[in-house]
């Protein structure tokens, strides 16, 4: 990769569809918004207020309560699981305000590229203000159809978002499509727990605001049926982290 290239130009070269530069991010969607019937949780992610407080207040508080893990520890775990020290292209799906994209970009070798991808304009506007950098570019699009060719990225992640999405497993397969053989995938999502009463209570509460709860097998089974290897899973309270390698 050419180290002197602007990250937006590098990213444009990876996109398989036209994009316009708006507010500092590349937009492949134009005027279109998110799903036709957004849930409460999806509406929140499209709100300017939530985008403003997300990185410093909403995210650290809610995820610390849900997992007992700090954002810094999560970032270290993600960088290690994705093997970023040897990756050249990272895709952070549903990057929100870039709160993982930027710290993960700093773990990449010089000249590598981190692409943050999200559907929410307010989130991406914040990402450009708060989490831009020489190896970072943000793209607005819908993760149901990632606008990249097969096997484009060395590492692909999606944190804190699959439980918001109506098609979490299709989106995970999309992430696998754009991952190159030998590359790593990591996801952080909800975990319903093992004990039936806890599972029932968590699922009912989450469903009220439009969040899905996943059991221990959901993503492990998806990864193993897709042929992935080195599958690692950690569960903490209501959160699970799953990482794996796409075989060569
Ligand atoms: C809670 S934020 C997660 C931000 C960050 N990854 C984190 O771990 O803190 C969830 C993000 O998912 C995005 N999102 C939801 N549906 C999406 C879709 N279909 N395509 C792309 N992004 C989507 C929302 O816009 C929101 O910014």
């Amino acid at each position: 990769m050419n180290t002197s290239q602007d990250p937006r130009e590098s990213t444009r070269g990876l996109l398989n569809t036209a994009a316009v530069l708006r507010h500092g991010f590349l937009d492949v969607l134009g005027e279109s918004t998110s799903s036709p019937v957004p849930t409460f949780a999806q509406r929140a992610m499209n709100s300017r207020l939530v985008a403003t407080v997300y990185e410093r207040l909403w995210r650290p508080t809610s995820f610390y309560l849900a997992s007992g893990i700090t954002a810094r520890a999560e970032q270290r775990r993600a960088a290690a699981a994705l093997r970023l020290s040897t990756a050249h292209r990272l895709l952070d799906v549903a990057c929100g305000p870039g709160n993982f994209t930027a710290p993960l970009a700093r773990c990449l070798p010089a000249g590598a590229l981190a692409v943050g991808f999200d559907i929410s304009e307010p989130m991406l506007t914040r990402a450009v203000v708060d989490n831009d950098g020489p190896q970072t570019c943000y793209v607005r699009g819908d993760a149901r159809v990632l606008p990249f060719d097969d096997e484009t990225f060395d590492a692909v992640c999606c944190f804190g978002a699959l439980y918001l999405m109506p098609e979490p497993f299709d989106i995970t397969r999309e992430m696998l499509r754009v991952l190159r053989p030998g590359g790593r995938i990591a996801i952080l999502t909800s975990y319903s727990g093992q004990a039936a009463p806890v599972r029932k209570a968590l699922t009912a509460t989450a469903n009220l605001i439009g969040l899905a709860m996943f059991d221990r097998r959901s993503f492990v089974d998806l990864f193993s049926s897709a042929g992935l290897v080195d599958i690692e899973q950690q569960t903490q309270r209501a959160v699970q982290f799953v990482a794996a390698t796409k075989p060569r």
Side-chain angles (χ1 to χ4, degrees):
M1 171 178 257
N2 179 355
T3 53
S4 62
Q5 207 174 0
D6 179 89
R8 284 175 201 87
E9 286 315 306
S10 306
T11 304
R12 244 188 224 287
L14 300 178
L15 288 168
N16 60 16
T17 187
V20 290
L21 184 62
R22 291 204 300 133
H23 313 298
F25 56 82
L26 295 171
D27 191 339
V28 305
L29 291 182
E31 294 305 309
S32 72
T33 52
S34 54
S35 57
V37 191
T39 62
F40 172 79
Q42 284 165 333
R43 275 184 208 280
M45 294 301 137
N46 244 339
S47 119
R48 249 164 246 292
L49 176 65
V50 172
T52 304
V53 299
Y54 181 82
E55 181 170 4
R56 302 210 196 307
L57 194 64
W58 180 303
R59 176 52 155 96
T61 312
S62 59
F63 279 72
Y64 187 74
L65 287 174
S67 68
I69 298 188
T70 63
R72 282 299 264 276
E74 273 194 65
Q75 287 158 4
R76 281 196 298 273
R77 172 173 68 181
L82 290 164
R83 302 189 189 145
L84 293 187
S85 59
T86 55
H88 294 290
R89 291 178 192 152
L90 163 71
L91 177 65
D92 180 11
V93 174
C95 64
N99 50 313
F100 274 78
T101 320
L104 295 183
R106 291 192 283 273
C107 300
L108 291 166
L113 176 69
V115 177
F117 186 93
D118 203 282
I119 201 167
S120 160
E121 189 176 325
M123 286 290 189
L124 291 174
T125 303
R126 282 257 50 105
V128 169
V129 172
D130 295 339
N131 285 307
D132 212 359
Q135 298 186 202
T136 307
C137 176
Y138 294 98
V139 176
R140 178 167 176 261
D142 187 337
R144 288 177 288 189
V145 188
L146 291 172
F148 304 101
D149 287 345
D150 298 356
E151 304 180 4
T152 298
F153 293 92
D154 306 298
V156 179
C157 61
C158 180
F159 301 140
L162 287 166
Y163 49 68
L164 289 171
M165 297 172 169
E167 301 101 349
F169 302 118
D170 290 345
I171 288 174
T172 308
R173 284 188 205 95
E174 258 303 88
M175 292 165 59
L176 290 174
R177 180 184 65 75
V178 301
L179 181 64
R180 74 157 174 79
R184 294 280 290 172
I185 184 168
I187 61 140
L188 177 91
T189 191
S190 54
Y191 173 52
S192 56
Q194 289 298 287
V198 178
R199 193 166 57 235
K200 269 193 166 166
L202 269 178
T203 306
T205 314
N207 288 349
L208 276 181
I209 52 170
L211 303 182
M213 295 302 291
F214 300 105
D215 65 20
R216 186 181 281 278
R217 300 294 330 164
S218 306
F219 288 94
V220 170
D221 285 354
L222 189 157
F223 284 173
S224 61
S225 62
L228 301 199
V229 295
D230 301 335
I231 301 172
E232 302 154 20
Q233 181 181 47
Q234 297 174 25
T235 57
Q236 283 105 7
R237 297 184 191 164
V239 166
Q240 61 179 304
F241 178 86
V242 191
T245 302
K246 185 172 184 175
R248 287 177 200 277

